Amino acid sequence: MKPLALFVTIALCGCAVGPDFRPPAAPATQTYTRETPPAATVAAGGAAGASQIFVTAPHAVPMWWTRFHCDALNRLVDHALQHSPTLAQARARLIQARENYLAQAGATDFPKIDATLGGARQQVDIAAFGIQNVPNPGPFSLYNASVSVSYALDIFGGNRRALEALKAQIDYQSFELEAARLTLAGNVVSAAVRRASLAQQIALAQRLADAQAQQLAITEGRFAAGGVAQLDVRSQRTLLAQTRASLPPLATQLAQADHQLAILLGSVPSKADFGAITLDALQLPDTLALTLPSTLARERPDIRASEALLHQAGANVGVATANLYPQFMISSGIGSERTRIEDVVNGLNIWNVGLALTQPIFHGGALQAKKRSAQAAYDAALAGYQQTVLQALQQVADTLTALGNDARELQTRDEAAQQAQASLAIAQERYSVGGVSRFDQLDTQRQALQTALERTRAQANRLADTAALFQALGGGLITY
């Protein structure tokens, strides 16, 4: 038994071959864009016109959608997080990964014990054993009951590396679930902003078409009286037709936004209830917490998921390496074997103890090829991780640039809208005292509606890009 004890000791003290995983280094850069962004954006008047201040924070903002201070939006996100089939699928995959790990851990960490109970009818030919001149016994029954124990000695760590790979798979599915939550929340907010924007654009475009229709009626009356040329009538009809032509595409986009939001909420499009969310009901967050790129790499779930895949690939290299070395298996068994079934329980009369060693000698280069394949898979996972980090940095850089430009655009759109409203007020006052014609007053109203329509788009872009920044930084459900 001393050799067996020696092998057990070696197994317990054995090292795991292959690379030990270390998380990749965080990005060396301290900024996201080539130029340092200003500490605050420009301000504009009206809804969503506040200046946004960028502050450095140790962590991304959790539950970031609540920063828009819209209860209806919060209810939509909460409903989606509870009923989305996408999240249900991700949760099931996480459970599957955990159970796979538990199954492999049970088979690796503990010996395999099996009980056997059987019986057989046999005929023995004594002459086959070299015994002559002895009559063969007749057929007889043989009954046995035994317990066998076997255990693979993980001397070179192949089983431990396999467990490490399965544990990394659990981490991957966990981060995939968190990424799905983050993406779902971002998609709900984006769809809600888009839906509110389209609804407001349709209302303004309809009012614009009504004003142009009144202008067309006045122009046609003037043409009938010989006051204007036919070209003026044609031009006015063209403007009205162009405005009316913009309504069906807007209605289609609004319906698509409704359908998308319904699916995100886990509902069929025909039965979804979104509540009333207007564009002005969404308050623009005026303080934006910005984490460092090194923090981004540790908090964004898609980056962590890619890191888990890298960990898994490294563990698989260890498995492939361990398969090149000897495999040891110890086994033992004890039992009773009798010719009468009632005698099986009378005592133990058979036992065995064994040690098996398997050393690969020639497999046609298969084992070395599998090791090279595992190494290539690790290199691919490393490149994938690096690409994921770069894409994350790009997303933050893009949204930071967009937020600055969104603020400037909204400032100019708001200024144009204010000027158009001031002109409309003057035109209405002058029209009331007969200073301008009804046509001129309607034309001033048309300009005000057009600038309001353009401001609505700029307002929606600023809200959507603010949500995109929160999402790009990796803020989710975790609180710190």
Side-chain angles (χ1 to χ4, degrees), residues 313 316-317 320-321 324 364-380:
N316 287 335
V317 172
T321 304
L324 299 173
L367 298 181
Q368 288 289 352
K370 288 181 179 179
K371 181 182 177 182
R372 293 192 297 270
S373 174
Q375 183 61 53
Y378 177 83
D379 295 339

Side-chain angles (χ1 to χ4, degrees), residues 95-105 163 166 169-170:
I95 294 173
Q96 178 187 11
R98 287 173 177 167
E99 295 303 323
N100 286 337
Y101 173 82
L102 292 175
Q104 184 65 28
L163 279 178
L166 289 174
Q169 181 67 18
I170 294 177

Side-chain angles (χ1 to χ4, degrees), residues 65 113 149 336 364 464:
W65 50 88
I113 303 175
V149 180
S336 175

Side-chain angles (χ1 to χ4, degrees), residues 149-227:
V149 180
S150 62
Y151 184 71
L153 299 178
D154 194 23
I155 295 177
F156 297 100
N159 293 336
R160 279 171 283 165
R161 290 300 189 191
L163 279 178
E164 184 181 346
L166 289 174
K167 182 62 172 62
Q169 181 67 18
I170 294 177
D171 294 338
Y172 170 76
Q173 294 298 346
S174 178
F175 292 126
E176 281 288 283
L177 174 58
E178 185 61 27
R181 288 172 175 160
L182 176 61
T183 301
L184 179 64
N187 288 341
V188 169
V189 174
S190 177
V193 170
R194 185 165 178 262
R195 181 177 180 272
S197 173
L198 289 168
Q200 188 164 315
Q201 288 180 53
I202 290 174
L204 291 171
Q206 187 60 60
R207 290 174 59 191
L208 179 60
D210 293 342
Q212 289 175 333
Q214 295 180 54
Q215 285 184 295
L216 176 59
I218 294 173
T219 304
E220 288 176 340
R222 289 179 177 179
F223 174 72

Side-chain angles (χ1 to χ4, degrees), residues 446-476:
R446 177 190 63 80
Q447 294 177 17
L449 289 171
Q450 185 65 50
T451 56
L453 188 61
E454 292 167 350
R455 189 194 185 283
T456 294
R457 297 191 184 101
Q459 178 183 351
N461 288 340
R462 196 174 189 197
L463 289 168
D465 286 336
T466 299
L469 178 62
F470 283 127
Q471 183 178 352
L473 290 172

Side-chain angles (χ1 to χ4, degrees), residues 59-103:
H59 301 288
V61 177
M63 311 287 287
W64 54 265
W65 50 88
T66 61
R67 300 301 176 96
F68 292 91
H69 299 288
C70 178
D71 292 337
L73 178 63
N74 295 340
R75 287 192 294 270
L76 285 182
V77 175
D78 291 341
H79 188 279
L81 292 174
Q82 294 174 14
H83 298 92
S84 170
T86 300
L87 295 189
Q89 182 184 47
R91 293 189 193 100
R93 287 176 175 170
L94 176 58
I95 294 173
Q96 178 187 11
R98 287 173 177 167
E99 295 303 323
N100 286 337
Y101 173 82
L102 292 175

Side-chain angles (χ1 to χ4, degrees), residues 55-62 289-292 294-296 298-299 473 480:
V55 297
T56 302
H59 301 288
V61 177
L290 195 63
T291 58
L292 294 175
S294 56
T295 303
L296 179 79
R298 304 310 307 162
E299 292 189 350
L473 290 172
Y480 299 95

Side-chain angles (χ1 to χ4, degrees), residues 120-438:
R121 188 70 173 170
Q122 297 187 11
Q123 171 68 60
V124 178
D125 184 4
I126 294 180
F129 296 95
I131 302 176
Q132 304 295 329
N133 303 319
V134 177
N136 285 328
F140 62 94
S141 297
L142 187 64
Y143 302 96
N144 67 81
S146 62
V147 175
S148 62
V149 180
S150 62
Y151 184 71
L153 299 178
D154 194 23
I155 295 177
F156 297 100
N159 293 336
R160 279 171 283 165
R161 290 300 189 191
L163 279 178
E164 184 181 346
L166 289 174
K167 182 62 172 62
Q169 181 67 18
I170 294 177
D171 294 338
Y172 170 76
Q173 294 298 346
S174 178
F175 292 126
E176 281 288 283
L177 174 58
E178 185 61 27
R181 288 172 175 160
L182 176 61
T183 301
L184 179 64
N187 288 341
V188 169
V189 174
S190 177
V193 170
R194 185 165 178 262
R195 181 177 180 272
S197 173
L198 289 168
Q200 188 164 315
Q201 288 180 53
I202 290 174
L204 291 171
Q206 187 60 60
R207 290 174 59 191
L208 179 60
D210 293 342
Q212 289 175 333
Q214 295 180 54
Q215 285 184 295
L216 176 59
I218 294 173
T219 304
E220 288 176 340
R222 289 179 177 179
F223 174 72
V228 296
Q230 188 178 19
L231 177 62
D232 296 324
V233 178
R234 297 288 185 184
S235 297
Q236 196 61 44
R237 286 176 179 171
T238 299
L239 290 175
L240 176 59
Q242 289 176 336
T243 301
R244 286 176 174 171
S246 68
L247 287 171
L250 289 175
T252 298
Q253 294 175 43
L254 178 59
Q256 291 173 343
D258 286 343
H259 301 161
Q260 179 190 12
L261 198 51
I263 299 305
L264 293 172
L265 297 178
S267 304
V268 295
S270 61
K271 295 183 179 180
D273 182 15
F274 312 123
I277 299 180
T278 63
L279 208 57
D280 292 344
L282 298 171
Q283 181 178 332
L284 182 75
D286 55 5
T287 301
L288 299 178
L290 195 63
T291 58
L292 294 175
S294 56
T295 303
L296 179 79
R298 304 310 307 162
E299 292 189 350
R300 262 191 60 143
D302 59 335
I303 296 179
R304 298 301 305 277
S306 184
E307 180 183 311
L309 289 180
L310 179 62
H311 188 177
Q312 183 182 43
N316 287 335
V317 172
V319 174
T321 304
N323 288 337
L324 299 173
Y325 293 92
Q327 310 294 318
F328 296 90
M329 174 72 72
I330 58 174
S331 62
S332 65
I334 191 171
S336 175
E337 193 170 75
R338 310 289 180 172
T339 57
R340 295 194 309 167
I341 191 170
E342 59 269 21
D343 294 335
V344 170
V345 297
N346 288 339
L348 304 174
N349 62 350
I350 59 172
W351 61 271
N352 64 81
V353 176
L355 172 66
L357 180 152
T358 303
Q359 169 61 58
I361 296 177
F362 178 75
H363 286 223
L367 298 181
Q368 288 289 352
K370 288 181 179 179
K371 181 182 177 182
R372 293 192 297 270
S373 174
Q375 183 61 53
Y378 177 83
D379 295 339
L382 178 59
Y385 172 84
Q386 294 169 342
Q387 182 65 22
T388 302
V389 172
L390 292 177
Q391 290 174 344
L393 296 175
Q394 177 193 351
Q395 289 175 2
V396 177
D398 288 347
T399 52
L400 285 175
T401 302
L403 283 174
N405 291 327
D406 288 343
R408 285 187 285 271
E409 180 187 5
L410 184 61
Q411 185 184 57
T412 56
R413 296 293 187 190
D414 185 75
E415 182 180 352
Q418 290 181 13
Q419 294 297 329
Q421 285 295 328
S423 299
L424 177 60
I426 295 173
Q428 288 175 335
E429 182 179 354
R430 293 183 63 187
Y431 173 72
S432 64
V433 297
V436 295
S437 65
R438 172 62 174 166

